[in-house]
Amino acid sequence: MCLAVPMRVIEVRGDMGVAELWGVRREVGLHLLEDVEVGDYVLVHAGFAIEKVDPGEAERTLEMLSEIAGA
Amino acid sequence: MIGVPAARPSNRYIDAFRDGRVARRLADAIWELVGKGRFSFMEVCGTHTVSAFRSGLRSMLPDGLELRSGPGCPVCVTPNSYLDRAIALGRKGMTLATFGDMFRVPGSSSSLLKERAMGAKVHVVYSPLDALRLAEDSDGTVVFLAVGFETTAPAVAATVLEARSRNLHKVKFLVAHKLIPPAMRCLLEDPDVRIDGFMCPGHVSVVIGSEPYRPLARDYGVPCVITGFEPLDMLQGIYLLARQKAEGMAEVQIAYRRVVRPDGNTKARELMEEVFRVVDDEWRGLGPVPESGLRLREEFGEWDAETIPVEVEPAVEPSGCRCGDVLRGTCSPPECALFGRACTPEHPVGACMVSSEGACAAWYRYGR
């Protein structure tokens, strides 16, 4: 039940927005975040964006995993 | 291009974390760390259990490393008395709005699915905001079944505030939100439960951050690693736990940094704080756990479905069902005598067999 997916924000109007994943668009509540902008990736759970995805941290994690994997 | 399906557009935050080559090497690194050791790590979150099975990751891990399911399945830990009350409200003619997970879960003598077949108005919704829409379009009262952990509670809090600002009184909330860290402490206090490390729930931690786990790691000497749900996220979480065991450490680490900040989502927690109060709460499997639940604050009484007078049948737990032990990690699903025989996803006896992320359902689907 704690499923959440990273979706790209394509529209923001006040507390509501539209986000997209794999061509599927959904209305999402933005009540739980500050300053969401079009183009941001947000983690969506139960129709609400619960956090912004941090692109820099994602890349750092992938680098670290490659290091552990010795790739 | 007619007839040829378009390629799925890529999403780096999903696809890059499913790289099979890196996954195999991470698994090798885990084998090296575990060596001849024997460890039992708890997947606190049901979504971890499902992800570990579905990705095939369990088969990549050394025999000495056991992944145990935990209490992190909201509908599994919700006691029958809650569902019985919801069913009683439905029988009074109120419309019920529920997350899909709750739909087939058996209560003491019925389920929402059976009730709907007998004429009750039960709607499966994706978001609590859908319940507001239902209420706006409906003549009667709509009751939203608000279950879920810290991941879900802020969404419900925002919806309650939205109902107030729209002056919408036809919607009510039957709140049984639960808090994860008190349940983890309860498990650590249980002499029957052996846990060498916690894979802490990634999406609960998006909201609460890493601080609430610190007292658990310190007081009980158990490493805690906040873990995401893609295969590489899971392997990273397991790797960090194994490394902490190898180095004799018990710390809190975040293996899901792209969405989990040490201080969590402050705004989400402020909304929870505004709408809910913390109460001692009853968990299936764990019994009463101090300060582990949320209910609406008094000033939101008008939206509280708990205040609606209704006669609720006495709660009965199914006999022979070991759901409670499964939720504590002291029994793995195939050890239950009912598993796969009297209890299957088509005819579930306990909640753990029906929820999509219940441990028994995951074992039945992937683990046999």
Side-chain angles (χ1 to χ4, degrees):
Chain A
M1 240 193 79
C2 284
L3 276 181
V5 286
M7 301 179 80
R8 199 169 75 91
V9 177
I10 55 174
E11 201 182 314
V12 174
R13 28 188 173 79
D15 268 342
M16 294 303 290
V18 177
E20 182 178 46
L21 170 68
W22 295 333
V24 178
R25 291 175 178 200
R26 294 219 69 110
E27 204 174 33
V28 292
L30 303 175
H31 308 64
L32 309 176
L33 297 176
E34 311 273 7
D35 309 323
V36 175
E37 289 174 17
V38 169
D40 287 343
Y41 275 83
V42 290
L43 191 65
V44 176
H45 167 76
F48 283 82
I50 60 170
E51 189 52 279
K52 285 192 216 179
V53 180
D54 183 329
E57 287 291 357
E59 296 312 318
R60 272 190 285 282
T61 300
L62 287 169
E63 270 168 41
M64 196 196 82
L65 292 177
S66 294
E67 263 170 47
I68 299 169
Chain B
M1 293 295 284
I2 291 168
V4 180
R8 198 180 73 183
S10 75
N11 179 314
R12 181 150 182 84
Y13 307 116
I14 296 177
D15 301 333
F17 291 86
R18 292 182 178 177
D19 184 323
R21 197 179 50 96
V22 179
R24 276 186 292 276
R25 299 230 180 136
L26 279 172
D28 291 344
I30 291 167
W31 275 79
E32 229 165 89
L33 280 172
V34 171
K36 292 194 172 67
R38 295 201 75 80
F39 302 118
S40 186
F41 295 156
M42 179 171 272
E43 305 152 331
V44 176
C45 178
T47 312
H48 279 147
T49 304
V50 172
S51 176
F53 271 118
R54 195 159 48 192
S55 62
L57 177 154
R58 293 180 74 99
S59 60
M60 298 168 77
L61 299 174
D63 293 339
L65 201 163
E66 183 193 29
L67 297 182
R68 286 241 151 201
S69 301
C73 162
V75 309
C76 303
V77 296
T78 301
N80 278 355
S81 55
Y82 175 87
L83 205 51
D84 295 342
R85 173 169 286 273
I87 286 168
L89 293 171
R91 286 176 181 170
K92 268 189 105 167
M94 292 173 200
T95 300
L96 304 177
T98 177
F99 290 126
D101 253 26
M102 198 60 140
F103 191 50
R104 297 179 59 236
V105 173
S108 294
S109 67
S110 187
S111 70
L112 296 173
L113 172 72
K114 285 184 194 160
E115 291 297 306
R116 189 165 78 172
M118 292 189 291
K121 289 171 275 183
V122 183
H123 290 257
V124 172
V125 296
Y126 161 72
S127 165
L129 287 174
D130 297 336
L132 297 194
R133 262 171 238 134
L134 274 174
E136 278 166 340
D137 296 341
S138 148
D139 296 331
T141 302
V142 173
V143 178
F144 177 72
L145 307 187
V147 295
F149 299 127
E150 292 93 329
T151 321
T152 315
V156 172
T159 306
V160 172
L161 293 170
E162 191 70 37
R164 185 173 70 177
S165 77
R166 292 189 202 174
N167 210 10
L168 185 61
H169 294 276
K170 285 185 294 181
V171 68
K172 313 284 175 195
F173 297 82
L174 190 61
V175 177
H177 287 304
K178 290 192 161 36
L179 304 173
I180 283 288
M184 289 168 67
R185 179 174 291 271
C186 175
L187 287 175
L188 290 166
E189 288 286 341
D190 186 333
D192 296 337
V193 180
R194 183 196 154 197
I195 298 165
D196 298 311
F198 278 120
M199 294 169 72
C200 298
H203 294 151
V204 162
S205 308
V206 162
V207 173
I208 69 175
S210 54
E211 274 313 301
Y213 304 111
R214 215 163 285 284
L216 300 176
R218 186 193 57 216
D219 298 350
Y220 300 90
V222 174
C224 293
V225 176
I226 295 168
T227 306
F229 302 93
E230 295 302 334
L232 294 196
D233 292 319
M234 301 267 299
L235 286 164
Q236 188 194 359
I238 295 166
Y239 171 84
L240 290 175
L241 282 173
R243 198 173 68 184
Q244 287 204 39
K245 294 311 286 184
E247 293 172 358
M249 286 161 47
E251 290 184 357
V252 181
Q253 290 177 298
I254 305 175
Y256 196 27
R257 289 194 170 268
R258 62 189 182 281
V259 285
V260 177
R261 330 260 179 261
D263 56 349
N265 180 337
T266 317
K267 190 174 177 192
R269 284 204 310 279
E270 281 167 6
L271 293 189
M272 277 166 73
E273 180 87 359
E274 185 180 347
V275 171
F276 300 120
R277 62 198 161 88
V278 176
V279 298
D280 299 344
D281 211 356
E282 181 79 21
W283 295 57
R284 179 182 281 126
L286 307 183
V289 181
E291 299 187 354
S292 68
L294 299 176
R295 295 292 181 274
L296 284 173
R297 286 187 183 278
E298 216 168 289
E299 55 264 45
F300 295 95
E302 282 177 67
W303 289 275
D304 194 345
E306 236 178 281
T307 61
I308 301 171
V310 68
E311 203 170 310
V312 183
E313 64 187 304
V316 184
E317 295 293 333
S319 74
C321 171
R322 296 190 65 194
C323 208
D325 296 330
V326 170
L327 292 164
R328 286 155 67 227
T330 57
C331 164
S332 98
E335 287 163 21
C336 173
L338 304 186
F339 178 81
R341 289 183 275 273
C343 183
T344 63
E346 289 71 38
H347 299 284
V349 175
C352 301
M353 184 55 98
V354 56
S355 167
S356 57
E357 59 188 24
C360 299
W363 274 84
Y364 189 87
R365 193 176 313 160
Y366 304 107
R368 294 184 308 151

